[in-house]
Amino acid sequence: MKLAMIGLGRMGANMAERLARGGHEIVGYDPSEEARKRLTGHGLFSVASLSALVGALPNPKIIWMMVPAGTPVDGTIAQLQPLLGNGDVLIDGGNSFYKDSMRRATLLSETGIAYIDCGTSGGIWGLEEGYSMMIGGEKSAVASLRPIFETLAPAKDKGWGYVGPSGAGHFVKMIHNGIEYGLMQAYAEGLSILKHKKDFSLDTHQVAEIWRYGSVVRSWLLDLAADALGKNPNLDGIAPVVADSGEGRWTAFEAIDNDVPAPVITLSLLERIRSRDRDSFGDKLLAALRNEFGGHAITKE
């Protein structure tokens, strides 16, 4: 198949390369000239505009977007819609909010364009390991794209699947990322306790390596933690500030909307938010209160 890839960041470029290795012909586009240079050889080439991208594709046109969620996706769609027509397919492989995906699918269906929401996991490792894909949208359109998904997945029959109508793919990926927040937080807290137990002088990298084999807490995230600790045991040069890209927040909101208790995911999100407060008014007030009622010492800045 010949298809286009919009968004040639590291993950988008890696996905394009995996598709090319699988025999697909890929034309790419990114606003950044430097990013466009990532596509070279193996059936890969890039163009300098969206109109050139669309013009390079046969009918029906298949376009995969790896674009940041929100306004960038809407802006890209607004530019593409006049260039596409009945039977063409637009795949959103990013982390869009599922309700946005439902809205976009309805909008594009009016001109016969199929909008597929494909929650994609695998990060920078997907080039070699394959990508996990949770796919929503028109079932017939998804079926026609099967060779693409089989090429990107870890195996033709593993790591991907059609999960439901428009929005379902991004909804499942949203919950996937919420779970990821909780898992990461648990590893971070546990290994931090080990690090702070000065009596034993524990080697956290060694412990993580032990846990990687046979342990009930082994996982790919633990593999990555062990790798990080092996390269930088004290995590020198890394600021204790953790960003979030939205999926954890959306998961917590959905839990509330559906009356589902999700304390681990919610608290892991709050810990990320707390990590960014370098001048915490709340912590200062706690210290002041302890001093007010008990005369406890205050540490001066």
Side-chain angles (χ1 to χ4, degrees):
M1 283 186 169
K2 185 173 183 177
L3 67 151
M5 179 71 68
I6 298 176
L8 301 176
R10 193 169 179 185
M11 187 167 175
N14 282 355
M15 294 179 76
E17 183 174 343
R18 187 173 176 91
L19 286 166
R21 289 181 184 180
H24 302 277
E25 187 177 354
I26 311 298
V27 54
Y29 168 74
D30 193 285
S32 165
E33 182 180 357
E34 189 64 31
R36 293 197 298 271
K37 291 178 181 177
R38 292 192 178 106
L39 295 194
T40 55
H42 308 292
L44 296 161
F45 69 97
S46 63
V47 294
S49 69
L50 287 176
S51 58
L53 184 85
V54 174
L57 295 173
N59 292 321
K61 303 181 190 302
I62 304 169
I63 299 176
W64 190 303
M65 297 188 301
M66 292 301 290
V67 177
T71 301
V73 176
D74 284 322
T76 303
I77 291 173
Q79 294 180 70
L80 285 172
Q81 190 170 5
L83 306 174
L84 302 176
N86 187 51
D88 293 337
V89 180
L90 190 56
I91 308 163
D92 182 354
N95 284 324
S96 290
F97 183 45
Y98 78 97
K99 290 183 180 179
D100 288 339
S101 298
M102 295 169 70
R103 169 179 56 81
R104 293 164 184 153
T106 299
L107 172 68
L108 290 170
S109 68
E110 295 173 0
T111 51
I113 302 168
Y115 186 80
I116 306 301
D117 53 290
C118 179
T120 309
S121 181
I124 61 176
W125 299 87
L127 175 59
E128 303 300 336
E129 302 292 333
Y131 297 89
S132 173
M133 292 166 290
M134 301 132 262
I135 307 161
E138 293 181 20
K139 196 169 187 177
S140 59
V142 173
S144 70
L145 302 172
R146 187 178 186 93
I148 295 172
F149 298 129
E150 288 180 343
T151 301
L152 287 171
K156 286 187 175 183
D157 59 345
K158 289 183 174 64
W160 74 278
Y162 174 76
V163 297
S166 295
H170 280 151
F171 183 81
V172 174
K173 177 57 163 48
M174 178 185 76
I175 303 305
H176 163 284
N177 284 22
I179 293 169
E180 181 183 299
Y181 277 43
L183 292 171
M184 292 172 68
Q185 186 68 29
Y187 284 129
E189 291 177 7
L191 288 162
S192 181
I193 295 169
L194 295 177
K195 186 73 173 176
H196 284 80
K197 185 62 174 176
K198 303 301 183 184
D199 296 356
F200 295 150
S201 300
L202 296 165
D203 181 340
T204 53
H205 174 240
Q206 179 201 26
V207 173
E209 287 290 347
I210 292 171
W211 287 350
R212 288 180 62 206
Y213 303 97
S215 165
V216 296
V217 299
R218 66 187 184 273
S219 74
W220 184 47
L221 284 173
L222 181 61
D223 294 343
L224 297 177
D227 182 63
L229 291 167
K231 291 185 290 190
N232 188 357
N234 294 315
L235 304 180
D236 295 325
I238 300 175
V241 178
V242 188
D244 76 280
S245 52
E247 300 88 348
R249 297 176 184 231
W250 302 336
T251 301
F253 296 155
E254 284 295 322
I256 293 168
D257 287 346
N258 289 281
D259 294 325
V260 177
V264 172
I265 292 173
T266 303
L267 286 173
S268 66
L269 167 65
L270 295 178
E271 280 298 310
R272 291 193 180 200
I273 295 171
R274 191 182 191 284
S275 76
R276 295 167 225 157
D277 190 355
R278 309 309 298 272
D279 186 31
S280 174
F281 180 82
D283 286 347
K284 290 180 179 180
L285 182 57
L286 286 172
L289 285 170
R290 293 184 75 248
N291 177 259
E292 289 290 333
F293 72 71
H296 302 287
I298 293 178
T299 301
K300 300 292 186 180
E301 291 182 321

